[in-house]
């Protein structure tokens, strides 16, 4: 009798147990904010605010367990440069913990490790099976001594599938002039900046204290890359370059203010080891669809550049500042988005006195690992109103992108600190 | 003549009083002289040509890149320091606690009068209210700067 009773008691207990397990493994229902968090999206998509960080979040990454790690541009009031958020309900999340006493941009998850960058170093943290950092105050310093002269300081990072980490080292200059951004100043011959910046460096993900000597200059001639991603279809690195500024300010006789607002293109490059994308000697003119010799190096807006420099895979309007790149590999969005590229355009400043542009997330369709067709605005109105785009006084500025395990898309805003989540409503 | 000096004396006396009254309705700033208005108008042209692309039409700058010119200690403060920013450029300096990572190039190719005009414009635009900068002052700073 007693045995039987135990059996009867055990049965519901087991049921409850398995139900809660089921609840743990089922994706939570996503509840859109009333106005889609202020965003304008294609039909069928919705958005919600995951959290307000009150900081300046740059890149973010999401572990298979759904933990969100966010890199802050500067440490918050508690001295933390990385925030960890965990899901609550309806698709939202709250800050659980913070660590890392340095500001920066790079944040990437790969194979049980969290990678983070300051403006001169790259660290990694071991995660446990719950996706929690096990060594918050003692990360492994894998790369050190990268050049940081404030201009183009972000050391954005991504990993491949062969144990390498790729690190952007932006050029600490606009166009390698003898006097940076000085009207009429010409380019330095054999631009010395390229020795230690203006490219992407490759390092081993599991070796400590590497610096330039241990790494490899994987691609050169890139002015500054903030958004980059590893394309799994092509098994290849893709980067978004921030194109040069101030053609009119520096060479008013060659470029008017309108041309200067429009040019040069913000370029997407598919890179191979040893490639040279041509900065500072050239820029890509998306109107003429040509590589043009930079005016600092004898160009006049028409003369073409050396053909040894690689062509962009795709070109976007000038100065929109691509800060995030993400190849979509999830299953939530409609089929046409699969393996295409989302690009977060932080928004321009260098179009003044012409109206500013950007402050949106763009989708670039891909087919067989190559851009296919024209880009389209995917998520708009981060700025809050068209006149706030034109003036550059945007409410929010998209920066980092990440894909959640369920296939929804996260976007950070480094102006107000909002984290958005965009999802598709299955029909 | 005597009346005038009495008046001047009275004005002189009332100055510290006015300064102490905190919420007092702002005494009408001495109407900008014809010279200052001319300088502001000329300065606006210089601003549009050389400053606007970074500091923006509203003087608000760009977060993390180019500093704002609205009521900052640099703009409203010491004229010599401000003049030197134009003559020498500026880099690697936090302004009122915020970092700005872009480089400001030297604008020493502008004449003393042009620098005076643009600084007078900036110090009297975007909500700023500060004394004019004269070409003579710029000339003195430039001369000392060369040493």
């Amino acid at each position: 009798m007693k045995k039987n009773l135990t059996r009867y008691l055990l049965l519901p207990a087991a049921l409850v147990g398995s139900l809660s397990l089921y609840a743990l493994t089922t994706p939570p229902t996503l509840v859109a904010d009333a106005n889609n968090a202020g965003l304008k999206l294609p039909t069928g998509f919705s958005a919600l605010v995951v959290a307000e960080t009150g900081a300046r979040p740059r890149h973010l990454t999401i572990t298979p367990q759904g933990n969100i790690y966010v890199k802050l541009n500067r440490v918050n009031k508690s001295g933390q440069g990385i925030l960890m958020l965990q899901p609550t309900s309806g698709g939202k999340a709250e800050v659980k913990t913070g660590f890392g006493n340095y500001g920066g941009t790079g944040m990437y998850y790969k194979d049980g490790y969290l990678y983070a960058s300051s403006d001169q170093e790259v660290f990694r943290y071991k995660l446990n099976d719950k996706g929690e950092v096990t060594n918050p105050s003692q990360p492994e310093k894998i790369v050190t001594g990268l050049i940081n002269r404030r201009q183009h300081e972000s050391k954005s990072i991504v990993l491949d599938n062969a144990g390498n980490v790729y690190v952007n080292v932006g050029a600490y200059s606009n166009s390698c002039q003898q006097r940076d951004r000085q009207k009429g100043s010409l380019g330095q011959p054999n631009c010395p900046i390229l020795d230690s910046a203006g490219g992407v460096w490759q390092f081993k993900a599991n070796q400590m204290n590497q610096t330039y000597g241990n790494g490899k200059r994987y691609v050169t001639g890139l002015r500054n890359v903030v958004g980059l991603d590893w394309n799994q279809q092509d098994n290849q690195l893709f980067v978004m370059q921030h194109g040069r500024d101030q053609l009119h300010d520096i060479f008013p006789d060659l470029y008017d203010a309108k041309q200067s607002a429009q040019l040069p293109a913000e370029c997407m490059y598919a890179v191979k080891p040893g490639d040279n994308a041509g900065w500072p000697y050239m820029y890509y003119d998306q109107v003429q669809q040509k590589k043009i010799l930079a005016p600092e190096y004898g160009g006049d807006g028409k003369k073409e550049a050396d053909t040894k420099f690689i062509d962009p895979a795709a070109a976007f309007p000038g100065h929109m500042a691509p800060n995030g790149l993400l190849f979509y590999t999830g299953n939530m969005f409609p089929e046409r988005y699969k393996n295409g590229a989302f690009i977060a355009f932080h928004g321009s400043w260098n179009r003044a006195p012409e109206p500013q542009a950007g402050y949106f997330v763009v989708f670039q369709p891909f087919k067989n690992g190559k851009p296919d067709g024209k880009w389209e605005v995917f998520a708009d109105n981060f700025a809050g109103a068209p006149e706030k785009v034109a003036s550059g006084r945007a409410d929010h500025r998209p920066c980092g992108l990440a894909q959640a395990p369920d296939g929804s898309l996260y976007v950070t805003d480094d102006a107000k600190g909002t984290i958005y989540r965009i999802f598709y409503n299955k029909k | 003549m005597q009346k005038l000096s009495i008046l001047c004396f009275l004005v002189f006396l009332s100055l510290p009083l006015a300064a102490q009254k905190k919420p007092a309705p702002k005494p009408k700033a001495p109407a900008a002289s014809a010279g200052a208005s001319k300088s502001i108008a000329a300065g606006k042209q210089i601003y549009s040509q050389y400053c606007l692309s970074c500091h923006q039409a509203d003087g608000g700058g760009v977060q993390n890149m180019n500093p704002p010119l609205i009521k900052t200690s640099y703009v409203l403060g010491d004229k010599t320091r401000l003049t030197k920013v134009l003559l020498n450029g500026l880099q690697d300096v936090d302004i009122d606690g915020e970092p700005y990572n872009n480089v400001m190039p030297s604008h020493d190719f502008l004449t003393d009068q042009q620098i005076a005009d643009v600084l007078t414009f900036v110090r009297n635009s975007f909500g700023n209210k500060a004394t004019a900068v004269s070409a003579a002052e710029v000339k003195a700073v430039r001369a000392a700067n060369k040493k």
Side-chain angles (χ1 to χ4, degrees):
Chain A
M1 181 63 199
K2 211 173 185 183
K3 256 187 191 166
N4 273 345
L5 189 68
T6 320
R7 241 179 236 169
Y8 282 119
L9 281 173
L10 270 174
L11 188 67
L15 258 173
V16 167
S18 52
L19 270 176
S20 52
L21 260 176
Y22 178 74
L24 275 175
T25 52
T26 308
T29 313
L30 302 176
V31 184
D33 285 356
N35 56 353
N36 282 330
L39 302 185
K40 291 201 176 90
L41 301 163
T43 310
F45 287 90
S46 301
L48 61 92
V49 169
V50 175
E52 297 287 355
T53 61
R56 293 182 189 165
R58 298 281 284 175
H59 287 175
L60 81 170
T61 192
I62 302 166
T63 71
Q65 300 85 353
N67 293 335
I68 306 158
Y69 287 94
V70 185
K71 188 77 201 77
L72 304 181
N73 201 18
R74 307 167 69 186
V75 294
N76 63 15
K77 286 187 193 101
S78 315
Q80 301 157 339
I82 301 173
L83 298 180
M84 193 267 246
L85 294 85
Q86 281 187 322
T88 49
S89 64
K92 294 184 180 288
E94 63 183 21
V95 175
K96 280 285 170 207
T97 180
F99 54 95
N101 59 354
Y102 51 92
T105 292
M107 185 99 292
Y108 199 77
Y109 168 84
K110 186 81 179 173
D111 298 338
Y113 284 94
L114 178 73
Y115 295 81
S117 69
S118 69
D119 292 336
Q120 51 276 321
E121 294 140 321
V122 183
F123 302 93
R124 75 169 187 174
Y125 300 83
K126 179 99 184 89
L127 300 181
N128 63 20
D129 57 5
K130 292 185 199 134
E132 296 160 344
V133 164
T134 57
N135 52 342
S137 55
Q138 286 116 8
E140 297 175 310
K141 188 189 283 187
I142 58 176
V143 184
T144 185
L146 299 177
I147 209 157
N148 169 24
R149 296 199 187 158
R150 291 179 72 130
Q151 203 177 169
H152 305 147
E153 74 282 17
S154 300
K155 301 297 181 285
S156 304
I157 51 173
V158 72
L159 278 89
D160 64 13
N161 300 312
N164 298 304
V165 58
Y166 299 84
V167 187
N168 168 64
V169 186
Y172 44 90
S173 167
N174 175 37
S175 50
C176 207
Q177 290 172 282
Q178 286 161 20
R179 296 175 75 190
D180 192 19
R181 296 179 189 265
Q182 180 81 53
K183 184 183 167 203
S185 173
L186 294 180
Q188 300 179 57
N190 204 2
C191 179
I193 293 170
L194 292 167
D195 282 356
S196 54
V200 171
W201 269 256
Q202 183 196 53
F203 297 97
K204 293 286 173 215
N206 62 357
Q207 284 177 19
M208 303 307 109
N209 295 309
Q210 301 165 88
T211 187
Y212 286 105
N214 314 96
K216 174 174 157 187
R217 192 171 68 174
Y218 192 76
V219 49
T220 189
L222 288 167
R223 179 174 173 273
N224 185 31
V225 167
V226 187
L228 74 176
D229 199 11
W230 191 260
N231 185 306
Q232 302 295 341
Q233 268 194 321
D234 299 321
N235 199 30
Q236 188 176 15
L237 178 67
F238 276 66
V239 301
M240 295 294 312
Q241 176 180 238
H242 280 221
R244 56 153 310 150
D245 299 328
Q246 294 181 288
L247 283 167
H248 169 69
D249 291 341
I250 302 171
F251 295 97
D253 299 338
L254 295 174
Y255 302 88
D256 63 27
K258 255 201 161 67
Q259 288 171 311
S260 196
Q262 192 177 27
L263 299 174
E266 302 286 54
C267 289
M268 171 189 278
Y269 289 103
V271 302
K272 297 190 296 297
D275 274 349
N276 187 340
W279 181 90
Y281 309 109
M282 59 147 274
Y283 65 83
Y284 189 76
D285 180 328
Q286 75 276 25
V287 181
Q288 300 183 64
Q289 302 191 353
K290 283 176 183 168
K291 291 174 286 192
I292 300 295
L293 186 63
E296 287 83 354
Y297 291 89
D300 58 1
K302 294 182 191 74
K303 280 185 210 160
E304 291 190 47
D306 195 322
T307 52
K308 73 179 179 187
F309 301 128
I310 59 170
D311 285 311
F316 302 85
H319 311 301
M320 299 201 304
N323 273 9
L325 171 65
L326 179 109
F327 287 105
Y328 186 75
T329 56
N331 295 316
M332 177 194 266
F333 290 4
E335 187 57 29
R336 67 181 292 262
Y337 291 97
K338 189 117 183 185
N339 297 313
F342 286 102
I343 305 155
F345 283 101
H346 198 228
S348 69
W349 61 270
N350 197 231
R351 285 174 166 249
E354 297 291 307
Q356 305 293 356
Y359 311 99
F360 48 41
V361 176
V362 151
F363 179 68
Q364 168 64 58
F366 267 62
K367 195 175 175 185
N368 302 324
K370 301 259 178 311
D372 180 55
K374 196 178 161 22
W375 60 276
E376 61 205 37
V377 175
F378 175 73
D380 204 356
N381 201 39
F382 287 88
E387 55 274 18
K388 290 182 179 180
V389 172
S391 67
R393 299 291 166 230
D395 292 347
H396 302 273
R397 305 186 71 180
C399 182
L401 298 171
Q403 183 184 306
D406 72 349
S408 55
L409 179 71
Y410 283 66
V411 186
T412 59
D413 143 43
D414 69 354
K416 287 261 165 51
T418 307
I419 299 175
Y420 298 88
R421 183 172 185 174
I422 301 171
F423 57 98
Y424 188 69
N425 309 294
K426 291 197 177 64
K427 287 279 140 58
Chain B
M1 183 63 203
Q2 200 166 4
K3 265 185 191 166
L4 191 67
S5 43
I6 289 172
L7 192 71
C8 284
F9 185 60
L10 281 175
V11 167
F12 178 71
L13 273 183
S14 62
L15 271 176
L17 261 174
Q20 274 176 17
K21 267 192 262 170
K22 262 190 186 155
K26 277 186 186 157
K28 251 237 175 344
S33 67
S37 322
K38 204 177 145 202
S39 185
I40 288 171
K44 189 174 182 179
Q45 295 297 319
I46 304 286
Y47 184 83
S48 302
Q49 195 172 348
Y50 297 108
C51 318
L52 187 149
S53 70
C54 289
H55 294 289
Q56 307 293 304
D58 61 4
V62 181
Q63 182 182 301
N64 205 45
M65 307 274 300
N66 310 320
L69 305 176
I70 302 171
K71 297 181 179 170
T72 67
S73 56
Y74 268 79
V75 169
L76 296 179
D78 180 28
K79 285 197 251 184
T80 302
R81 179 170 78 167
L82 183 60
T83 306
K84 279 186 176 171
V85 171
L86 261 76
L87 291 172
N88 303 330
L90 194 68
Q91 192 175 358
D92 297 346
V93 174
D94 285 4
I95 294 175
D96 297 340
E98 284 288 321
Y100 297 97
N101 291 343
N102 233 346
V103 166
M104 167 146 171
S106 155
H107 285 68
D108 59 359
F109 57 88
L110 296 174
T111 65
D112 293 341
Q113 188 61 52
Q114 286 175 316
I115 290 178
D117 290 346
V118 76
L119 290 181
T120 302
F121 167 74
V122 166
R123 282 162 65 88
N124 290 283
S125 304
F126 322 128
N128 297 328
K129 196 83 203 154
T131 53
V133 176
S134 72
E137 286 172 308
V138 175
K139 190 179 179 188
V141 174
R142 200 194 291 262
N145 195 39
K146 270 182 187 152
K147 273 189 261 178

